[in-house]
Amino acid sequence: MEKNKLQLAQEKLKSIYGYDQFRDGQRVIIEQVLEGIDTIGIMPTGGGKSLCYQIPALVLPGVTLVISPLISLMKDQVDALNELNIPATYLNSTLSASEESTRQSRIKEGHYKLVYVAPERLNHPSFQHLLEHISLSLVAIDEAHCMSQWGHDFRPSYLSVSSWLDELSQKVTVLALTATATKQVCFDLQQFLHIDQQNVITTGFERTNLTFQVKKGVSKQKFMSSFLAARKNESGIIYASTRKEVEQIFDELASKGFDVACYHGGMSESQRSANQEAFIHDEAKIIVATNAFGMGIDKSNVRYILHYNLPRTIEAYYQEAGRAGRDGEASDCVLLFSPQDVRTQSFLIEQSDRTDDRMEMEYKKLQQMTGFCHTERCLQQYILHYFGEDTNKTCGKCSNCVQAGEKVDRTKEAQMVFSTVKRVRERFGKTMIAQILVGSSNQKIKQLQLNDVSTYGLMKDWTQKDVAEFIDILMAEEYLRATGTSYPTIQLTEKTLPVLKGEEQLFITETLAPAEPQEQDDVFEALRQLRKQLSTDSNIPPYMVFSDRTLKEMSRYIPVTMDELSEISGVGEQKKEKYGQAFLEVLIQFKNNQPVLSERQSKKSSGFSKKGQYLETAKRFKEGASIEQLVEAFSLTEQTIVKHLIRAEQEGIELQLAQFVKEEHRLLINEVAKEVGTDFLKPIKEKLPDHITYQEIRFTLGK
Ligand code: ADP
Ligand code: MG
Ligand code: ZN
């Protein structure tokens, strides 16, 4: 392939998106697509799949068609592209007839590089007609697992995509992208799209910025409250399995004063979309939802996912959990386990109207999901194995990799609970058992003469609520079970007897949420507020202004000039122009008012540091390394290395960059600079002979 296409792609990455490097997989996929090779790309959520077709769309001639399953997703993606000044649009059923025809003519006129459509539209006569008037270079199929019946999000309309492609009269390159492809799903995609194994590019499913935790035997409510209290400013999703449960959790959190919204299939369309908007715009920090919520959510600053109930499959779990941390910042995924949830899911499978084969598969998947909650292996590794990745690597931070909590001997209390259950012959529910144990003088207890039970009042040091929670824990650990009726009574299991007889001890891991309050970062908070305000002004979600990751980087390095600002990852030209000034004003204030700045930088930059980086670049350059070698050594672009060197020189480190420019060039550059001024490099470059590079100009002028 001509090298310059790839170079062009690299330049777009920096100038438009503000990123220095392609991620794993992105480079290979983009290279293939630019060469016209049909490709399947499998990358985890947040891996950066969108760039894999957006950048080729900018480099290739003609139009890139993006097939996308959800209308809300389309609008968000197009808004985000327009924010970057990339001409893109979508066609779907939300448009009025006149709007649609305007868009169609603008598409024909070549206004747009990217056009998003839903699969239903492909065989529409008006769309077929439109196709005759445009030249397509690339068809990208986003969320391609929707094409496979084995995928958990199968959409019948996606089936038409492959025949539509087969019948297409133009030669186009096809790129199918997904995050959740089991072997079976991938095989289907290959068949449908006629793509060889060698053109399946997968970067694996690992999400290094996520911390997975399974909590067994904790009180869900208590855990949730303390977990959320420690994360007041952060955005997160709580998934529960039923509408009823969603509403209960919502009510509880709302009554405790949390910024919370809810979302489930029983709400009206308009209510749902209002709540979704509130969440995306950071107005509701928390959303409590059933699994109906999320497919269309590209919000990048979701900092945690709390599963209040067990999902049915690992695919579903990983996709839901994977909605955390799309921006690459550390995020938490916590699953609260109770055995009752396994029964609920089995029941739902049983009730579903499925073939036997299908049913069996669902049970197997549920078992694998349950296995996730019981395994002692690294949780990330368990998931990777599920998706067929052969790895021994452990993540070092999931709840199995780090042993959390303290084991407390609760044998005595457990015996009290068990004997109570036994004495009342398994006829009563949790509340009554708890009331007996704390010695409640409740009317009903007296009526039923339960105050005569020998364990009455044995746990009078405990509150009734604490005893009830203790019973929940014993249920989670399967010492007790509740009958599956509307007034469940508590029964003993086969695990209880050894404990009752004193043959076995019973330890409970008393973990509560790691209540480490998040370090308050004033700069980050100020930037976040500014972002909110700007996003409201332009009517886009805050994360589309800048991601959390970008704001964190700003708060760490506190750039105070436009040049420094463009060093921050995620600051491309368009965003810099649109928002740069506003952010600099806030940042400059902090730089001026904060005498502790140097302390801040040294404290915060213990890991990789941009500040250290440019000095390191300069040091190595001084020691004789060439720019090419530095590009190689640091995996940075030439442009960035040059910037580092110039910055170092401006700060007084003697690099004598000008000496690297031929004398005759230097003279010419200085001459032109005198003539047109040194505010902008472009007019200088334009006046010079073509073979004089920007780098030479920069070195000569020291900017
Ligand atoms: P996916 O579709 O794979 O879930 P997205 O395309 O939405 O992921 O990208 C997730 C986030 O990663 C976005 O905020 C995107 O801007 C960012 N991103 C993508 N590529 C890069 C890169 N090369 N460097 C830094 N950030 C990137
Ligand atoms: Mg995506
Ligand atoms: Zn682990």
Side-chain angles (χ1 to χ4, degrees), residues 46 49-50 53 73 77 142-143 298 326:
K49 290 184 286 298
S50 325
Y53 59 83
L73 202 66
Q77 295 242 7
D142 204 6
E143 314 287 349
D298 255 1
R326 269 175 187 271

Side-chain angles (χ1 to χ4, degrees), residues 120-184:
E120 290 82 3
R121 180 145 302 245
L122 298 174
N123 293 312
H124 231 269
S126 76
F127 187 71
Q128 294 281 9
H129 179 72
L130 175 65
L131 280 180
E132 288 163 21
H133 295 271
I134 56 177
S135 107
L136 287 183
S137 12
L138 173 63
V139 173
I141 308 168
D142 204 6
E143 314 287 349
H145 59 276
C146 294
M147 289 177 84
S148 167
Q149 304 218 36
W150 302 103
H152 62 289
D153 276 328
F154 173 60
R155 297 190 163 228
S157 59
Y158 256 74
L159 277 181
S160 60
V161 175
S162 70
S163 57
W164 176 81
L165 278 170
D166 289 341
E167 284 158 24
L168 200 62
S169 57
Q170 313 183 32
K171 162 81 188 92
V172 297
T173 308
V174 176
L175 173 62
L177 294 163
T178 178
T180 49
T182 52
K183 283 214 169 91
Q184 194 135 29

Side-chain angles (χ1 to χ4, degrees), residues 13 17-24 26 43-55 77 84 142-143 177-179 207 297-300 322 325-328 543 547 549-550 569-570 575:
L13 180 70
Y17 294 87
Y19 300 139
D20 284 334
Q21 300 158 53
F22 283 116
R23 290 196 181 138
D24 282 357
Q26 279 179 335
M43 292 165 96
T45 309
K49 290 184 286 298
S50 325
L51 249 64
C52 295
Y53 59 83
Q54 289 172 358
I55 288 197
Q77 295 242 7
L84 296 168
D142 204 6
E143 314 287 349
L177 294 163
T178 178
R207 295 285 308 276
I297 306 303
D298 255 1
K299 180 174 162 72
S300 74
R326 269 175 187 271
D327 52 12
Y543 72 89
S547 70
R549 168 163 257 197
T550 300
S569 171
K575 297 248 178 114

